[in-house]
Amino acid sequence: GFDDEICGECNTQTEKITEKQRTRPKGHRFIITADTQYGILMDGFAMNNPNWGQEIEISRKCVEQINAMEGEDRPLFVCVCGDLVDTESSFSGAIASWKKVMKGWERTLVFEQQVNDFKRVWSQLHPDIALVCLCGNHDVGNRPTKASIEHWTSSFGDDYLSFWANGT
């Protein structure tokens, strides 16, 4: 297509160039993932010391593989679409086994450690690849409250996002 604008110097119509063509001829690459859910693999098991080592290792390998991508395969950003962790403290009505016996403050401590571990692992993503985190019900509860949203935003930043992916 052509722009409606006429080039003043050459007196011809100018061809439209899309953002995709202008910034990366073969397009933008990005990765969508979800449900890193630190703690989920222990659901249904008695657990004296909550742990999510398997989930950490899966995430670590994922970050490693993403960082190894090169050239036009390298993503501009990675989006984790919710349920980053498993033990948001208001989620007690629907939580499984070991979490039901925990008090709210105990679930809060577990949640905070899961968040810290998530951040520690995913902070290893190369600085030229943006990380976008969206909340899920295991992050803010089935019926998010002002408190659960504030807990999320204090851990991950604003609960809204806009950005411009641009290579120039």
Side-chain angles (χ1 to χ4, degrees):
F2 288 90
D3 243 339
D4 291 336
E5 293 182 25
I6 303 290
C7 173
E9 293 176 16
C10 58
N11 220 12
T12 61
Q13 280 189 318
T14 57
E15 187 173 350
K16 281 186 182 180
I17 297 175
T18 66
E19 180 65 15
K20 179 177 166 183
Q21 292 167 324
R22 189 172 69 77
T23 60
R24 242 189 205 184
K26 295 194 177 186
H28 299 298
R29 301 275 182 184
F30 59 92
I31 294 174
I32 300 292
T33 185
D35 295 295
T36 52
Q37 211 159 340
Y38 287 24
I40 190 66
L41 295 178
M42 291 308 300
D43 276 356
F45 295 94
M47 190 163 66
N48 295 330
N49 296 308
N51 74 76
W52 35 94
Q54 288 179 285
E55 294 91 325
I56 288 172
E57 186 58 20
I58 292 166
S59 289
R60 192 192 63 71
K61 287 179 180 178
C62 183
V63 168
E64 188 177 284
Q65 288 179 353
I66 293 168
N67 285 341
M69 295 175 165
E70 296 180 351
E72 61 187 50
D73 289 336
R74 191 163 184 86
L76 292 177
F77 65 93
V78 174
C79 181
V80 182
C81 295
D83 293 347
L84 283 62
V85 299
D86 189 53
T87 313
E88 191 279 321
S89 64
S90 72
F91 206 61
S92 60
I95 59 180
S97 61
W98 65 272
K99 293 173 240 168
K100 286 184 179 180
V101 299
M102 293 178 131
K103 294 176 175 55
W105 67 269
E106 292 172 306
R107 285 192 303 274
T108 298
L109 290 177
V110 169
F111 173 82
E112 288 171 359
Q113 187 58 53
Q114 290 172 343
V115 167
N116 289 339
D117 288 341
F118 177 91
K119 287 179 175 183
R120 180 177 47 81
V121 172
W122 285 90
S123 71
Q124 297 304 304
L125 195 63
H126 193 280
D128 71 356
I129 303 172
L131 178 63
V132 179
C133 295
L134 307 176
C135 61
N137 65 323
H138 286 267
D139 304 310
V140 296
N142 280 338
R143 294 178 185 257
T145 64
K146 183 176 180 180
S148 71
I149 295 295
E150 285 175 359
H151 204 189
W152 167 264
T153 58
S154 71
S155 298
F156 291 101
D158 292 330
D159 56 341
Y160 57 88
L161 170 73
S162 65
F163 66 95
W164 185 257
N166 186 335
T168 60

